Amino acid sequence: MARLANQMKQLYAMCATALVMGRADLDGADDVGFDIELPIFTVGQTAELANIHPQTLRQYDRLGLVRPQRTDGGARRYCLRDIARLTRAQRLSQDEGINLSGIARILVLEEENRQLRREVKRMQTGDQESVFAAGRDGNIVEVQRSNRARLWHNAIRHETRELPGRDTAADTAAGATGDSNSTPADFKSMVLWGW
């Protein structure tokens, strides 16, 4: 089991190196099965992989630029997304001369853009109908439909059902003659169509 864990850590380290060198991106890593949110790297490992001083990592954390996850003991653990953000922050700072508040805004916008691209890709590849609901905050959110709900929806769409009513000859005759004083509840049954 420990051997498997070490192999997994090595794979994640190789992926992180590819991210730092610009040979891979988060979407590609996610598509091939890496959990980009898995907190696997310590401060020392992250500093070495991203070629950033550990004090810079701590400063970025204090400023909210890159916030790693914490262990129960309070130790920082970085994921692939964090390493990609650190690398991007370093490039923006050193190559473009952008200040830290500008870098923070750029990183937020790039992450929103990435999430939107993923959502568009998911919606284009899926041949499912979408269901939307109101979230707790009042925003409209897409809800993943289960097969059970889809089967129920299709069954109700294609089946007609009769609602029980009173069964008297007078009611049936009144309905057949078009008696204007009769109501739908007076008939033997009504047909309900699905939507």
Side-chain angles (χ1 to χ4, degrees):
M1 190 66 155
R3 182 177 176 203
L4 183 65
N6 284 336
Q7 288 176 344
M8 186 181 81
K9 287 180 181 180
Q10 288 175 349
L11 284 172
Y12 273 83
M14 289 189 312
C15 183
T17 301
L19 289 170
V20 169
M21 296 176 74
R23 295 184 178 167
D25 62 4
L26 285 177
D27 290 333
D30 192 26
D31 288 344
V32 296
F34 284 100
D35 181 358
I36 62 173
E37 298 290 333
L38 182 67
I40 195 168
F41 304 108
T42 64
V43 171
Q45 292 168 332
T46 302
E48 184 179 332
L49 285 167
N51 197 22
I52 298 174
H53 195 277
Q55 275 307 112
T56 305
L57 294 177
R58 292 179 181 94
Q59 180 185 7
Y60 284 176
D61 186 13
R62 280 191 301 274
L63 296 173
L65 203 59
V66 177
R67 290 192 183 260
Q69 298 176 43
R70 302 278 183 151
T71 64
D72 292 337
R76 293 174 176 91
R77 290 292 184 266
Y78 291 86
C79 62
L80 291 173
R81 178 186 309 246
D82 296 331
I83 290 177
R85 287 176 62 95
L86 288 167
T87 303
R88 183 71 174 135
Q90 282 295 97
R91 287 188 184 131
L92 289 171
S93 175
Q94 293 174 355
D95 299 343
E96 306 294 329
I98 298 174
N99 64 21
L100 293 179
S101 64
I103 291 171
R105 183 68 180 141
I106 289 169
L107 291 177
V108 166
L109 291 172
E110 286 179 347
E111 181 59 26
E112 287 177 6
N113 191 358
R114 192 183 77 75
Q115 293 291 343
L116 289 171
R117 280 194 318 266
R118 287 180 50 80
E119 185 68 20
V120 166
K121 181 179 177 183
R122 189 184 62 75
M123 292 177 86
Q124 287 175 341
T125 59
D127 56 345
Q128 309 172 12
E129 295 179 18
S130 295
V131 175
F132 296 91
R136 290 182 187 172
D137 56 0
N139 291 331
I140 295 176
V141 295
E142 184 178 8
V143 178
Q144 296 295 324
R145 295 181 70 178
S146 69
N147 286 335
R148 184 182 212 176
R150 190 174 298 110
L151 292 172
W152 175 82
H153 186 281
N154 286 338
I156 214 169
R157 179 180 285 171
H158 298 293
E159 291 180 9
T160 58
R161 298 181 182 170
E162 291 188 8
L163 296 177
R166 291 188 289 159
D167 186 19
T168 64
D171 292 337
T172 306
T177 60
D179 183 6
S180 61
N181 293 332
S182 62
T183 64
D186 294 333
F187 300 120
K188 179 181 179 289
S189 64
M190 293 188 299
V191 177
L192 175 68
W193 283 273
W195 35 274

